[in-house]
C-alpha cells in the first residue's frame, strides 16, 4: 500500500486530504511531531508547497504531500497572493487581513473586484519524483464582509458559482465541494490514477 505523510497539521485539511487519498488506496500518516515548522521562504505557492513536501519527505523517508494557498486579487496585481496569511504583517489576524484588503482595493480606485483562490499541492517521493497540481476558484471581492462560516478571506470572497453568497455564507460541505483545495485534490487524484 502507498503511504503519504501529510506536511500539514491543520485538522480540517488533514480530514479533507485523508478522505480523498483513502479513495485512491493511499494510507496517510501524520506530520512527524519532532519536525520544526518549515518557514515559507519562497515567493510562489509552488515553491512553498515543494519546500514543505521536501522537508517532510526528508524527515520521514516516505512520500510526502504539502499544500499552499493564496488569494490573488487582480486590481492589486495579485496581492496578497503567496503572502495571504501574513498580509497585515506581524500579529496578522483574519480580521486585519480582510480589513487591509478592502482598504487596499478602495485605495486602488479600481472597479475591478475579480480575484481567485489558488491552491498548489506538491507530492515528493523518496526516489526524487515530484508532482505539482493546482486548483483555482475564481470569484470577486465583496464590498463588506458577510457570513460567519469558514475562515481567512471567506467573508469577502464571492465565488463564481452563479450566485452572490460569500464563502462564509456557505456550509462547510458546500464549500468543500467547490473550493480551490477540493479542486486541487481532485487534480491530484486524477494525476495519481
Ligand atoms: P494556507 O497556505 O492554506 O495556510 O493559506 C494561507 C492563507 O490563505 C490563510 O492564512 C488564509 O488567510 C488564506 N486562505 C487559505 N485557504 C482559504 C480558504 O479556504 N478561505 C479563506 N481564506 C483562505
Amino acid at each position: 500500500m502507498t503511504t503519504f505523510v501529510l506536511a500539514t497539521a491543520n485538522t480540517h485539511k488533514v480530514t479533507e486530504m485523508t478522505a480523498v487519498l483513502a479513495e485512491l488506496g493511499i494510507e496517510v500518516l501524520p506530520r512527524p511531531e519532532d519536525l520544526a515548522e518549515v518557514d515559507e521562504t519562497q515567493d510562489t505557492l509552488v515553491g512553498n508547497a515543494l519546500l514543505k513536501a521536501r522537508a517532510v519527505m526528508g524527515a520521514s523517508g516516505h512520500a510526502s504531500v504539502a499544500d499552499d494557498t493564496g488569494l490573488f486579487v487582480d486590481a492589486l496585481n495579485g496581492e496578497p497572493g503567496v503572502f495571504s496569511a501574513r498580509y497585515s504583517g506581524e500579529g496578522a489576524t483574519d480580521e486585519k487581513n480582510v480589513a487591509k484588503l478592502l482598504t487596499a482595493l478602495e485605495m486602488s480606485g479600481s472597479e475591478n473586484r475579480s480575484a481567485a483562490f489558488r491552491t498548489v499541492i506538491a507530492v515528493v517521493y523518496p526516489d526524487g519524483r515530484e508532482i505539482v497540481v493546482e486548483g483555482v476558484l475564481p470569484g470577486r471581492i465583496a464590498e463588506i464582509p458577510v457570513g460567519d462560516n469558514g475562515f481567512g478571506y471567506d467573508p469577502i470572497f464571492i465565488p463564481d458559482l452563479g450566485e452572490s453568497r460569500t464563502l462564509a455564507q456557505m456550509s462547510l460541505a458546500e464549500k468543500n465541494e467547490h473550493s480551490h483545495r477540493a479542486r486541487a485534490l481532485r487534480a491530484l487524484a486524477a494525476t495519481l490514477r
Side-chain angles (χ1 to χ4, degrees):
M1 184 187 241
T2 311
T3 302
F4 278 5
V5 181
L6 299 184
T8 183
N10 175 309
T11 25
H12 167 65
K13 289 187 192 173
V14 170
T15 310
E16 218 177 315
M17 285 193 180
T18 303
V20 172
L21 294 173
E23 273 180 30
L24 299 168
I26 296 171
E27 182 195 27
V28 164
L29 293 178
R31 178 193 167 82
E33 273 177 21
D34 52 352
L35 179 66
E37 189 77 23
V38 179
D39 284 337
E40 298 184 357
T41 53
Q42 304 299 298
D43 59 6
T44 61
L45 299 178
V46 173
N48 282 328
L50 279 171
L51 194 72
K52 290 184 275 187
R54 286 175 190 151
V56 174
M57 192 283 290
S60 67
H62 286 290
S64 298
V65 55
D67 67 293
D68 201 30
T69 295
L71 174 61
F72 294 76
V73 180
D74 293 338
L76 301 178
N77 299 315
E79 278 189 19
V82 70
F83 303 110
S84 293
R86 301 155 272 165
Y87 187 44
S88 56
E90 199 65 28
T93 62
D94 287 347
E95 289 73 24
K96 286 186 199 169
N97 287 340
V98 162
K100 179 170 176 182
L101 198 154
L102 289 177
T103 304
L105 205 45
E106 198 178 312
M107 301 289 283
S108 77
S110 175
E111 301 277 292
N112 179 8
R113 302 190 77 86
S114 63
F117 270 114
R118 294 179 179 276
T119 292
V120 168
I121 296 180
V123 179
V124 173
Y125 293 89
D127 66 5
R129 273 180 304 143
E130 297 187 334
I131 295 173
V132 174
V133 295
E134 187 183 46
V136 182
L137 180 62
R140 63 182 196 278
I141 303 299
E143 302 283 338
I144 52 165
V146 188
D148 298 317
N149 300 334
F151 69 101
Y153 299 90
D154 281 348
I156 55 165
F157 188 79
I158 302 170
D160 283 347
L161 298 173
E163 48 169 304
S164 58
R165 282 182 304 159
T166 66
L167 282 178
Q169 291 176 285
M170 297 184 181
S171 67
L172 185 58
E174 265 182 299
K175 182 183 164 187
N176 283 349
E177 189 186 332
H178 302 291
S179 81
H180 37 99
R181 238 180 326 274
R183 289 176 179 186
L185 277 167
R186 283 198 284 269
L188 178 66
T191 306
L192 293 173
R193 271 193 200 103

